[in-house]
Amino acid sequence: MATGAFEGKVALVTGGARGIGRATAMRLGSGGAKVAINYKGNAEAAAEAKRLVEEAGGSAALIQGDVSLEADVDRVVKEALAFGGRLDILVNNAGITRDDLLIRMTPEAWDSVMDLNLRGAFLVTRAAMRPMMKQRYGRVINVSSVAGVAGNAGQANYAAAKAGLIGFTKTVAREMASRNITCNAVAPGFVPTDLTNELLGKMKEAILPQIPLGRFGTVEDVASAIAFLASDDASYITGQVLVIDGGMVTG
């Protein structure tokens, strides 16, 4: 991918304050993109993400908002458009976990994960479609998970939301292809982030032998894949799920 691959492009990254979102914002910024960083509550982490994007050579704006709330989403997208003048790239990354075995999982734990991880992606993508359709250009990348591909014990809510995101991706790809808008998903495996550190800490010895490459992924591994799908190098790829898991899930 050429240096400056995102010059003149404007990106919105949800959940961009930490982890995969922050790494993605930095990767797009280093390619010259203007990056709108959405965050829900951690203003300190968001400010650090903005600083890192600017250090990487991009420009960034912080936009607070809960993407599970329609009113917040409409405002977030409007502010992103006001910041950049257009919207070329959307990365639906915001997500949470509320892990438990199904028999102990509460309806509240189910609903909270569905609301942010799946409803949030629906609301933001829907809001982003109007400017993308008008300019006849767009790249949407949804952050799913190997849990959505293969399931994972103790994560019925998270796996269901991430599997739903894959079906959503394929449908948006079909609906928007005629407007030169692509929609793809990435499905990371075990990548240490604030969201997964507790799970990985408990299961590290059991998980590592299942990964053929013999290591956990990094947020940079995922960000590079997202950047590829957001670039013009991927202009003929849509409706696909790129699994980034070191070879763990092959089926």
Side-chain angles (χ1 to χ4, degrees):
M1 195 182 306
T3 302
F6 302 111
E7 288 288 346
K9 297 294 199 307
V10 180
L12 170 60
V13 180
T14 70
R18 297 180 294 179
I20 290 169
R22 177 187 289 188
T24 299
M26 291 172 61
R27 182 69 179 79
L28 297 175
S30 71
K34 299 178 73 172
V35 186
I37 299 170
N38 159 255
Y39 69 101
K40 182 178 179 180
N42 193 331
E44 184 177 347
E48 175 69 2
K50 181 177 186 292
R51 184 185 68 79
L52 291 169
V53 170
E54 291 170 346
E55 280 189 0
S59 60
L62 299 180
I63 307 177
Q64 189 280 332
D66 182 343
V67 298
S68 70
L69 302 176
E70 186 174 5
D72 275 22
V73 167
D74 290 342
R75 176 180 52 78
V76 166
V77 172
K78 285 177 182 176
E79 289 187 21
L81 288 166
F83 163 63
R86 55 185 289 127
L87 182 57
D88 303 286
I89 300 162
L90 169 62
V91 182
N92 284 308
N93 169 73
I96 57 170
T97 57
R98 294 288 185 270
D99 296 348
D100 212 339
L101 293 174
L102 179 63
I103 198 168
R104 294 200 298 259
M105 187 172 288
T106 65
E108 292 76 19
W110 176 274
D111 289 344
S112 63
V113 170
M114 285 292 176
D115 281 350
L116 189 61
N117 296 27
L118 186 55
R119 174 185 165 87
F122 153 67
L123 289 173
V124 182
T125 304
R126 186 183 64 170
M129 282 302 100
R130 289 192 184 279
M132 287 185 175
M133 289 171 68
K134 186 175 181 180
Q135 68 201 22
R136 299 191 69 84
Y137 181 92
R139 300 282 184 266
V140 179
I141 300 95
N142 297 317
V143 180
S144 181
S145 168
V146 291
V149 176
N152 194 37
Q155 290 192 309
N157 49 2
Y158 185 76
K162 293 301 189 179
L165 202 52
I166 290 172
F168 177 73
T169 297
K170 292 177 179 292
T171 299
V172 172
R174 289 183 177 274
E175 290 187 3
M176 294 300 159
S178 65
R179 302 299 184 99
N180 195 32
I181 299 168
T182 65
C183 184
N184 293 287
V186 294
F190 289 98
V191 176
T193 67
D194 291 346
L195 195 66
T196 61
N197 277 337
E198 184 178 350
L199 174 67
L200 292 179
K202 294 177 180 177
M203 301 176 63
K204 184 174 181 178
E205 291 183 5
I207 293 169
L208 269 178
Q210 301 176 41
I211 303 174
L213 284 181
R215 67 171 178 87
F216 293 128
T218 67
V219 291
E220 291 78 16
D221 289 329
V222 183
S224 292
I226 292 171
F228 166 67
L229 292 171
S231 76
D232 289 339
D233 290 342
S235 62
Y236 199 59
I237 300 173
T238 195
Q240 303 305 307
V241 182
L242 180 54
V243 178
I244 309 161
D245 69 348
M248 187 176 66
V249 174
T250 57

